[in-house]
Amino acid sequence: MNRPRPMHLPEHELQDLERALRAATGAEVRCDRGYRALYATDGSNYRQVPLGVVLPRNAEDVVATMRVCHERGLPVLSRGGGTSLAGQTCNAAVVIDYSKHMNRILDIDPERRLARVEPGCVLDDLREQAGWHGLTYAPDPATHTHNCIGGMIGNNSCGPHSIMGGRTADNVQEMQVLTHDGLRLTVGPTSDEDFERIIAAGGRRGSIYGEMTAIRERYGEEVRRRYPDIPRRVSGYNLDDLLPERGCNLARALVGSEGTCVAVLEATLNLVPKPPAQALLVLAYADICDAGDHVPAVMAHRPQACEAIDDRLIAFLKRKGKETEGLGLLPEGGGWLLAEFGADSEAEAEAAARATMEALARDGGAPAMRVLTRADEQEAVWQVRESGLAATAWVPGMPPTWPGWEDSAVPPDKVGPYLRDFRRTLERYGYGCALYGHFGQGCIHVRIDFDLLTPDGIDTYKRFALDMADIVSRYGGSYSGEHGDGQARGWLLPRLYGDDLVAAMRRFKAAWDPDNLMNPGKVVDAYAPDDNLRLGPGFRPHDAGWSRQAAGVNFALKDDDGDIVRAAMRCVGVGKCRRRSGGVMCPSYMATGEEMHSTRGRARLLFEMIHGGPLHDGWNSREVHEALRLCLACKACKRDCPVDVDMATYKAEFHSHYYARHWRPRTHHSLGLVHWWARLASLAPGVANALGQTRPFADLGKRLAGIAPQRRLPRFARRTFKQEARDRGRCNAGGAPVAFFTDTFANHLHTGVARAAVQVLEAAGCDVTVPANAFCCGRPLYDIGRLDLARRNLQGVMETFGPLARRGVPIVGVEPACVTALKDELIGLFPEDERAQAIAANAWMLADFLAARTDWRPPPLARKAVVQPHCHQHAVLGFEGNRTMMAHMGMRPEVVDGCCGMAGAFGFEAGEPYDVSLACAERRLLPAVRAADGDTLVLADGYACREQVMQASPRRPLHLAQAMRLALEKR
């Protein structure tokens, strides 16, 4: 074997490399410690720190980058979404990341059903544009919202709908590629005459084509004999695509080569018709093996997808509280098949599904069955299936699970027997896991609780892999049915193909990459499976001072047993936070497109901080601080991240340690201490407003406070709400008791919100108490890491509300960020305090309280409304109470999908935070507000959301409490 030795360059050579790349290209070039740490791993078990990262703007940048690397003899790694599970997108190389800039759809030809794209093109972007012509791209992995076509080409990706058109290799027409030594050529189907002509022309291109001919002639019969004839053969190079009966398509032969041969500059892809209507047949069996036995019977009816999930995956989802809507739609059973039927109309799709159901019932042994025709119900069940990786990683109370044998494939008619052998082998080795996958094409997905930390555990893992390799080979299958070989399975290729075919693969790579500088150590001549492990026996962070006690962690981190190391390991690289549209997570990444501003990027840097590789400063890491600087602490990742990475908490924790060693910026003293400044302003609000609203005093104040000059300073109320409440007294004596939580914003700035909320509560018959003493949940303090002050504030909250909560008195608030603090940060900082538990259990947003704890219904207010949910409502509190109240009023809401970008103090900060704040708002919120007519209400429960709208538009949004009061006034 010719395994490479990992390459390392000293700091001065890295700096010289960065200068050379900057001079030669127009790309973004990063060779600093932070970016090298960001790209050190992917979704796999492996970790290799790169030499640097290049973000090319066009193909010429890639050519220039390759030239610099070739002159210096440096390896190169092409990367897209970085979600690979076998280690193929991490290497000690110069990483070329196409996803930020080279992501365009260059052309769609609906007549020829072709699309031409750059390698960084996101799959869903292509599917959306193809959909305008009634077409789609058949392969669709679960990461379709954010994965890149180049990565799909590298891994030969598939997905549930590859039944419609095959693997990526079956859907690539031609590609423009680049070799390490600078040859740029277009490859595709090639006739014998073209081969002869190219070879006769000589040169580097002729040499490559000559070697392809030699490989075909020398090894063609062995390829025909030994390559598994199954839908999901992904392991090894596609030497079968060199055969004349397969059109001798060099583009398809290069698909699945994982960047070990060429870099892809452009690809022309086949598109297929997309049926406009779907129906989903859900079949429940006694167990997953029984479901596997019935795959041929289901496939006989030609569904366009046939997926499977087992009872353990369902149990994991229930334990994690995920995808509950979809779980309720599954018939009772222990293993499920999901068969999707497409047609030109909903009636035809439903008829196909029901015909299949009736045929299966006639054949005997029919399972419990259900046909879903509503799009929302189908989507809910598909979300269950797509959550497979996330559902099986980091399950509470269970050891972490890992890839390594996660996508083996066998003939579809052998799925049932294979699963039984697979399960017996798992039991023999003491491994536990859930089983799911693309059963219609014989591909089984799984994450297994391998011990990758101890020598014995790693040896056991390797023995298990060898045993499973023999079982798969016996069934005529492939070690990989979707994710590729990388480092995880490259070492096993001789066992599947024999030494002769591996020698052929070695020749294939050498023809394109004679110096072995394209992603070396992957696929053929791969690193050993225990080289470059992300963890491994050498990973002993607790011995290096990262135990809970030594690290001085403030938060309980209950889902991670109080262990900051386990929390930092939580990210498994799915990359859902890298979506550029739709949803809330991750707003700063959507604004910048930078890996370091994604939830995954920040989580990876926290891990690297603990690992001690390029980042060896611990809590003092400037690289981690820089990544967290633009985190909005929106908490969307707490819900949307498949493995519940809670970056807002990690940010607060990190900043509490970092700023114990560094000077704090001005905004920490101005915006971070808004509660104290507001109390001071309440002593003379007229003076405060005069200074804050009048130039040049306002300009000077903003400059001193670090506030963006474009922002207007908020105006303080003439009287605080608590002063008003004290004079007003109470109503409804003897009614249902409610304690009103008056947050800083409602008390000092938007007092009308608190006033409206109390009036609504009283209309509902509640006896409302407004405690007079000053307290604050400390929301701005968490983001800046002032956890000492936050604890002090929360002690006051517990002293005031603890006795009430322990008596079961509801605590109702109007500010989502502050109610979230009572339900989240409070118990995170005081996990053993009974008062904290009682307050968290009894804290409510106004609408949620009214919907769940009263029979009161607001009067009609039949108006259209643009509605901005607060991110913490999305992530922690939920928004159903608001929907219920708006429905009772007869409102017609347009609920905005995305973050407002203000995020409390964040959007007021000068510089980059302000720019990111506006970019977030311009994604969804501000366009929706501008498009609304004058009669349409703008609603937002969050103070920051309302402030963003008021600062960037002429509209004055209302809290839902104010809308309900408006309905009361119109009654």
Side-chain angles (χ1 to χ4, degrees):
M1 288 191 177
N2 185 31
R3 287 178 181 149
R5 289 178 295 180
M7 176 168 288
H8 302 283
L9 295 180
E11 189 66 29
H12 71 278
E13 290 190 35
L14 290 174
Q15 293 174 359
D16 181 58
L17 171 63
E18 183 170 2
R19 286 192 293 270
L21 288 169
R22 289 185 187 276
T25 74
E28 297 179 44
V29 181
R30 318 279 170 73
C31 295
D32 59 273
R33 296 190 309 173
Y35 263 84
R36 293 171 58 226
L38 272 174
Y39 287 78
T41 189
D42 49 16
S44 73
N45 301 328
Y46 299 101
R47 175 183 177 274
Q48 291 177 273
V49 180
L51 305 176
V53 179
V54 176
L55 306 169
R57 300 182 187 279
N58 50 48
E60 300 309 317
D61 282 346
V62 182
V63 172
T65 297
M66 203 73 79
R67 182 171 61 250
V68 171
C69 292
H70 191 70
E71 290 169 354
R72 295 167 179 247
L74 300 179
V76 169
L77 163 64
S78 293
R79 177 163 161 152
T83 60
S84 295
L85 291 164
Q88 53 266 69
T89 49
C90 58
N91 214 324
V94 174
V95 174
I96 302 178
D97 180 352
Y98 299 87
S99 65
K100 185 174 182 182
H101 299 298
M102 285 187 66
N103 52 25
R104 295 178 301 161
I105 299 168
L106 301 172
D107 181 56
I108 290 181
D109 184 340
E111 299 301 321
R112 299 170 63 202
R113 295 180 181 173
L114 294 175
R116 192 163 56 89
V117 302
E118 291 180 323
C121 171
V122 171
L123 173 57
D124 268 6
D125 291 347
L126 172 61
R127 295 205 302 172
E128 180 184 9
Q129 289 197 27
W132 301 342
H133 307 284
L135 302 171
T136 191
Y137 188 62
D140 60 337
T143 52
H144 53 82
T145 62
H146 54 280
N147 70 351
C148 297
I149 296 293
M152 294 179 66
I153 290 170
N155 289 353
N156 198 2
S157 298
C158 303
H161 291 97
S162 59
I163 288 176
M164 296 166 59
R167 309 162 300 165
T168 295
D170 304 313
N171 290 277
V172 170
Q173 187 66 23
E174 66 179 30
M175 298 192 302
Q176 186 182 126
V177 300
L178 177 69
T179 65
H180 197 280
D181 55 3
L183 177 66
R184 185 174 179 176
L185 70 163
T186 298
V187 293
T190 313
S191 66
D192 289 344
E193 294 77 12
D194 285 339
F195 254 99
E196 291 175 4
R197 176 180 54 79
I198 294 168
I199 293 170
R204 179 77 170 95
R205 188 184 184 208
S207 173
I208 292 172
Y209 276 68
E211 183 66 355
M212 296 300 105
T213 299
I215 291 171
R216 179 174 64 182
E217 292 175 352
R218 165 69 177 81
Y219 300 101
E221 286 307 314
E222 187 74 352
V223 169
R224 293 182 182 97
R225 185 176 72 86
R226 293 204 62 158
Y227 265 49
D229 185 18
I230 60 174
R232 289 297 191 92
R233 197 279 307 155
V234 171
S235 280
Y237 291 144
N238 294 336
L239 302 184
D240 52 337
D241 279 303
L242 297 177
L243 300 176
E245 61 265 32
R246 292 181 62 89
C248 195
N249 190 318
L250 265 64
R252 294 181 178 181
L254 285 166
V255 172
S257 58
E258 302 180 7
T260 61
C261 298
V262 297
V264 176
L265 302 178
E266 187 180 297
T268 300
L269 311 172
N270 295 328
L271 303 174
V272 298
K274 179 183 180 182
Q278 284 81 34
L280 185 64
L281 173 59
V282 185
L283 306 159
Y285 299 87
D287 62 26
I288 195 67
C289 300
D290 189 25
D293 290 335
H294 287 79
V295 166
V298 175
M299 289 301 296
H301 297 275
R302 304 176 65 82
Q304 64 184 23
C306 181
E307 300 291 290
I309 50 181
D310 77 352
D311 54 345
R312 294 200 70 183
L313 187 146
I314 299 305
F316 293 164
L317 282 172
K318 289 179 178 177
R319 188 178 296 190
K320 298 174 79 167
K322 298 278 189 179
E323 311 303 343
T324 52
E325 182 182 352
L327 297 180
L329 295 169
L330 299 177
E332 187 174 347
W336 293 264
L337 292 180
L338 313 176
E340 183 182 80
F341 295 86
D344 291 333
S345 69
E346 293 180 4
E348 290 175 296
E350 181 179 358
R354 293 199 180 279
T356 303
M357 184 168 66
E358 292 167 4
L360 294 173
R362 284 194 303 269
D363 291 342
M369 295 180 276
R370 184 176 187 182
V371 174
L372 301 177
T373 56
R374 283 174 41 187
D376 60 330
E377 291 185 339
Q378 293 180 51
E379 176 63 20
V381 172
W382 276 119
Q383 286 298 320
V384 172
R385 166 59 190 88
E386 290 187 3
S387 70
L389 187 157
T392 55
W394 297 101
V395 180
M398 298 183 65
T401 58
W402 308 101
W405 197 261
E406 79 286 349
D407 73 324
S408 54
V410 296
D413 61 347
K414 299 290 194 297
V415 169
Y418 171 67
L419 287 176
R420 292 182 178 89
D421 281 345
F422 193 177
R423 274 194 161 174
R424 280 191 286 269
T425 307
L426 288 165
E427 290 168 3
R428 182 156 53 87
Y429 279 90
Y431 293 139
C433 60
L435 296 165
Y436 60 101
H438 315 290
F439 281 21
Q441 292 195 311
C443 181
I444 286 81
H445 286 325
V446 63
R447 285 179 71 90
I448 300 173
D449 53 347
F450 299 123
D451 169 10
L452 299 178
L453 282 166
T454 68
D456 287 346
I458 293 167
D459 286 344
T460 302
Y461 154 65
K462 290 193 292 184
R463 285 188 283 109
F464 168 81
L466 289 170
D467 282 355
M468 284 306 306
D470 290 342
I471 292 171
V472 169
S473 297
R474 190 167 71 242
Y475 278 96
S478 171
Y479 303 156
S480 173
E482 182 161 37
H483 299 155
D485 299 313
Q487 181 176 341
R489 286 172 287 275
W491 65 295
L492 293 169
L493 289 179
R495 223 172 177 89
L496 179 63
Y497 292 111
D499 291 338
D500 279 356
L501 284 184
V502 171
M505 293 178 193
R506 190 174 290 119
R507 286 182 61 176
F508 181 85
K509 173 176 168 60
W512 300 96
D513 179 32
D515 299 318
N516 192 25
L517 290 172
M518 294 296 289
N519 202 13
K522 316 295 176 173
V523 191
V524 296
D525 296 329
Y527 291 108
D530 50 351
D531 288 343
N532 309 315
L533 285 172
R534 192 191 328 173
L535 304 182
F539 182 64
R540 303 177 65 86
H542 294 122
D543 294 348
W546 286 104
S547 66
R548 178 176 172 85
Q549 293 74 23
V553 176
N554 294 281
F555 284 95
L557 303 177
K558 62 181 180 64
D559 290 338
D560 293 299
D561 301 323
D563 187 352
I564 189 64
V565 176
R566 184 178 167 93
M569 290 166 52
R570 180 171 284 273
C571 176
V572 296
V574 174
K576 188 178 178 181
C577 50
R578 284 173 48 92
R579 291 183 305 182
R580 298 299 294 271
S581 62
V584 182
M585 179 185 71
C586 175
S588 51
Y589 176 78
M590 291 184 190
T592 69
E594 288 278 356
E595 175 75 15
M596 72 181 293
H597 296 144
S598 69
T599 303
R600 183 180 73 177
R602 293 172 178 127
R604 287 290 163 78
L605 287 179
L606 286 167
F607 172 79
E608 291 292 324
M609 174 188 83
I610 289 171
H611 188 282
L615 310 185
H616 45 72
D617 298 329
W619 292 120
N620 204 38
S621 171
R622 291 189 178 274
E623 292 79 10
V624 175
H625 173 262
E626 178 63 19
L628 291 171
R629 190 170 64 90
L630 295 183
C631 171
L632 280 74
C634 67
K635 292 182 179 281
C637 51
K638 188 177 177 72
R639 171 179 172 179
D640 293 351
C641 171
V643 290
D644 308 314
V645 168
D646 185 2
M647 193 52 60
T649 295
Y650 307 159
K651 175 184 178 180
E653 187 67 56
F654 175 82
H655 278 169
S656 72
H657 298 273
Y658 181 84
Y659 284 111
R661 301 167 173 82
H662 293 85
W663 288 103
R664 290 183 174 274
R666 288 168 291 167
T667 52
H668 286 204
H669 303 291
S670 55
L671 299 170
L673 301 181
V674 63
H675 174 54
W676 282 269
W677 293 116
R679 289 176 63 187
L680 181 62
S682 69
L683 300 177
V687 175
N689 288 331
L691 293 174
Q693 307 298 320
T694 307
R695 301 182 67 178
F697 305 109
D699 294 341
L700 177 61
K702 285 186 283 188
R703 192 176 307 117
L704 292 174
I707 294 173
Q710 301 92 330
R711 292 295 190 191
R712 296 189 304 272
L713 293 175
R715 183 181 293 274
F716 292 99
R718 289 184 300 168
R719 301 184 71 209
T720 69
F721 170 72
K722 288 188 177 181
Q723 290 171 340
E724 293 181 6
R726 180 190 60 205
D727 295 343
R728 181 172 179 269
R730 290 165 55 185
C731 299
N732 299 335
V738 168
F740 186 74
F741 185 89
T742 312
D743 61 89
T744 295
F745 310 109
N747 192 37
H748 294 278
L749 298 164
H750 289 187
T751 56
V753 171
R755 195 180 309 121
V758 170
Q759 290 173 1
V760 168
L761 287 168
E762 290 175 344
C766 297
D767 179 9
V768 183
T769 300
V770 181
N773 56 322
F775 52 79
C776 176
C777 71
R779 167 56 61 197
L781 300 173
Y782 305 114
D783 298 345
I784 64 175
R786 289 303 304 266
L787 300 184
D788 53 340
L789 295 180
R791 281 177 178 274
R792 191 186 310 167
N793 280 9
L794 290 175
Q795 286 283 6
V797 170
M798 288 192 291
E799 289 170 8
T800 300
F801 288 98
L804 294 168
R806 292 173 75 171
R807 296 203 307 269
V809 175
I811 302 165
V812 176
V814 291
E815 174 56 45
C818 299
V819 175
T820 298
L822 302 185
K823 298 184 80 68
D824 191 357
E825 280 85 358
L826 179 61
I827 55 176
L829 291 172
F830 297 93
E832 306 300 327
D833 196 308
E834 292 182 1
R835 296 173 302 171
Q837 299 292 337
I839 290 172
N842 285 279
W844 297 86
M845 280 293 293
L846 172 67
D848 296 328
F849 171 77
L850 293 171
R853 297 289 296 273
T854 75
D855 297 326
W856 182 78
R857 300 291 179 262
L861 187 66
R863 299 268 293 273
K864 291 188 294 183
V866 172
V867 185
Q868 172 68 49
H870 191 283
C871 290
H872 293 182
Q873 287 176 305
H874 168 81
V876 178
L877 304 173
F879 198 63
E880 285 310 305
N882 290 60
R883 293 183 189 275
T884 299
M885 291 296 111
M886 289 188 291
H888 287 321
M889 286 191 285
M891 279 189 174
R892 302 185 300 281
E894 175 193 348
V895 179
V896 176
D897 175 27
C899 176
C900 78
M902 184 63 89
F906 178 85
F908 276 95
E909 292 185 43
E912 219 174 350
Y914 171 80
D915 296 334
V916 168
S917 173
L918 261 292
C920 291
E922 290 290 356
R923 284 190 55 250
R924 292 283 188 273
L925 174 59
L926 293 180
V929 169
R930 294 188 194 106
D933 60 40
D935 191 52
T936 298
L937 297 174
V938 178
L939 299 183
D941 280 2
Y943 165 79
C945 307
R946 296 193 300 275
E947 192 67 32
Q948 182 76 293
V949 173
M950 288 191 294
Q951 295 262 353
S953 82
R955 299 300 299 268
R956 293 190 62 82
L958 302 177
H959 190 287
L960 181 60
Q962 293 171 300
M964 288 190 285
R965 184 182 63 180
L966 185 61
L968 287 170
E969 292 171 348
K970 289 181 176 293
R971 181 172 52 182

